[in-house]
Amino acid sequence: MKDLINLQDSQGVTPLHKTIQDNDLFLTETLLSIDKINYDIKDDEDNSAIDLLVQKCADNQAWEEMCQRIGFNPRIKTSYFQRRTNLLEVRNSLFVVAALLATITFTAGFTLPGGLNQESGEALLAKKVAFLVFLMSNTLDMCTSMLVLICLVWSMVQDSSNSLLLIDRSMVLLLVAFYSTILAFMTGVYVVIYPKVLWAAIIIIIMCSLIGVSANRTLLYKVLLIPSPKKKQNQRDPMYLLELGKAFPCCVGSSSQKVE
């Protein structure tokens, strides 16, 4: 039955929509306590269950007390993590990634492209536009990574709702740091090699731009999950075969012969 709690009817209404609309406080509390519940599904009127719950809490104190009792704040809007997410595991993962980015950018700030003047200590490429872009993007990467670490530290001493909000916003800042890292790498390599090998600098920029575009999760899903137009019904997903080491026809053929 737990697999049916997010099922929509012909009007896009889920069981959680229905219980809130029917003022069923007990059943709403029960559904919100289930791990698999999805409260962001929208019906045909573009209303999610969380939107209806916000209205109920504003009009009825009993609904507000119910949300406080189960530690559920319907007014908090998140983009990446649900309220039932294991915050400890997510926090630890983000800590590692943000710390690595901060370390990389800190090191890059003292090993500038093109080197330094031995006499004055000034950067040799300081007047180049690409070098200035590298410097700004590297600084942005450093600041956003440190801000992610600060948000994660404060999330450890907040309640569950505020911790979720801080961790969710940390993910947004981390994406900014990712883009800044790619931009810093592109401009840093470009300013060093473009006077000698322009074609190599262009190829590096194109490759890094493709990686930057793939950071968009919607576009990444479309690229990785797009089905082949000539794919047979009994043919497995190529990405799954690649994970099994069977992406090449010769491997598949040899393995099938051994089975026979």
Side-chain angles (χ1 to χ4, degrees), residues 8-14 17 21 41-49 52:
Q8 295 176 273
D9 62 10
S10 59
Q11 297 178 346
V13 175
T14 65
H17 281 88
Q21 292 170 352
I41 299 176
K42 294 187 177 182
D43 57 14
D44 293 346
E45 297 180 357
D46 201 30
N47 290 323
S48 64
L52 300 178

Side-chain angles (χ1 to χ4, degrees), residues 150-164:
I150 293 172
C151 290
L152 294 176
V153 169
W154 281 116
S155 69
M156 294 188 294
V157 296
Q158 299 290 328
D159 56 30
S160 58
S161 298
N162 291 330
S163 295
L164 176 64

Side-chain angles (χ1 to χ4, degrees), residues 101-112 131-145 177 180-181 183-185 187:
L101 285 176
T103 303
I104 293 172
T105 54
F106 184 84
T107 305
F110 292 95
T111 55
L112 300 175
F131 178 83
L132 296 177
V133 174
F134 160 80
L135 203 57
M136 294 297 104
S137 58
N138 189 71
T139 303
L140 178 62
D141 189 359
M142 178 69 183
C143 294
T144 50
S145 300
S180 301
T181 302
L183 182 59
F185 178 80
T187 53

Side-chain angles (χ1 to χ4, degrees), residues 80-81 87 89-103 105 139-156 162-181:
Y80 297 98
F81 302 110
L87 298 182
E89 293 183 359
V90 173
R91 185 188 295 118
N92 291 338
S93 301
L94 293 180
F95 256 124
V96 174
V97 177
L100 287 175
L101 285 176
T103 303
T105 54
T139 303
L140 178 62
D141 189 359
M142 178 69 183
C143 294
T144 50
S145 300
M146 293 300 300
L147 190 56
V148 168
L149 294 175
I150 293 172
C151 290
L152 294 176
V153 169
W154 281 116
S155 69
M156 294 188 294
N162 291 330
S163 295
L164 176 64
L165 184 62
L166 286 171
I167 292 174
D168 188 76
R169 297 302 181 264
S170 298
M171 188 64 186
V172 178
L173 294 172
L174 198 59
L175 288 176
V176 175
F178 280 143
Y179 286 120
S180 301
T181 302

Side-chain angles (χ1 to χ4, degrees), residues 51-70:
D51 296 331
L52 300 178
L53 186 58
V54 170
Q55 297 176 3
K56 287 292 182 182
C57 292
D59 300 335
N60 194 324
Q61 184 63 26
W63 286 79
E64 182 71 28
E65 293 175 356
M66 181 271 294
C67 292
Q68 293 178 358
R69 184 167 57 251
I70 63 176

